[in-house]
Amino acid sequence: MAKEAIRDGILQQVPGGPMSSVIPLSDLNPDGPWDDLLRYRFRCTTCAQVFLLSAEIYHGSGGEWAKEPG
């Protein structure tokens, strides 16, 4: 969904910081392999709100799509 939102101009990916994923979202294969931790940041092109998408793949403890505090 995030890739589609980027393609449609709704979101733009922004640098994720020191804990960001090594594999760029654009190169992420839906079937893997994936990093142990996926972490990506996006900015809404309308309101500039930043969102964080993260998932802990190795242990499968879940993930989150959330507004970044700011």
Side-chain angles (χ1 to χ4, degrees):
M1 291 174 69
K3 283 183 181 181
E4 290 175 16
I6 291 170
R7 183 192 66 224
D8 295 343
I10 298 165
L11 296 175
Q12 74 179 146
Q13 190 170 349
V14 294
M19 294 297 294
S20 65
S21 292
V22 175
I23 301 171
L25 182 72
S26 59
D27 295 341
L28 195 63
N29 184 331
D31 298 321
W34 302 327
D35 293 337
D36 292 345
L37 175 66
L38 296 180
R39 185 174 192 276
Y40 297 99
R41 292 176 69 228
F42 307 93
R43 178 176 290 116
C44 175
T45 58
T46 301
C47 70
Q49 174 66 53
V50 176
F51 297 90
L52 176 64
L53 172 64
S54 63
E56 203 280 306
I57 303 299
Y58 183 73
H59 293 108
S61 63
E64 177 179 48
W65 174 261
K67 288 183 181 180
E68 188 172 82

